[in-house]
Amino acid sequence: NNKLLWINLLSLLFVVLIPFSTSLYGEYRTMTVAAIFFEANILMLGSIKYAQWAYATNDHRLVDPAMDQATIDVGKRLGLVTPVVSLVAIGVAFFAPDWSTALFISIPFIIAKVRKY
């Protein structure tokens, strides 16, 4: 599917930026710009992951037609966890750039909560 191919290519664009954004943040940990650049990279990856799932499951386009709507909805909610945490981390970076990335530790716990409910 061409549209999914372009979504995946966009995803790869941000995947290849991970080493650079991580290195930049590691070198300039106390600078707000470095933290925001890293967190924006993670935000884009999370957003694209959500877009991939939303596109693939829309009208059961690229998934099993027997997949129930509840599974699709849980996948969408799980796909929003990383972008939301990234946005909060970007906000924290304005006040404490060297601590803002610590918020990413909460992602597995939030995902566990989302799966539980």
Side-chain angles (χ1 to χ4, degrees), residues 2 9-10 14 20 23 27 34 42 52 57 60 62 65 67 73 81 92 99-100 103 109 111-112:
N2 279 339
L9 286 173
L10 185 62
F14 290 99
F20 175 72
S23 175
E27 188 73 27
I42 303 299
Q52 287 170 330
T57 58
H60 292 85
L62 299 172
M67 182 180 285
D73 293 341
V81 171
V92 171
W99 287 99
S100 62
L103 294 173
F109 301 107
I111 286 174

Side-chain angles (χ1 to χ4, degrees), residues 65-84:
M67 182 180 285
D68 63 330
Q69 189 61 40
T71 302
I72 293 170
D73 293 341
V74 168
K76 286 183 179 179
R77 278 186 244 122
L78 289 173
L80 289 174
V81 171
T82 300
V84 169

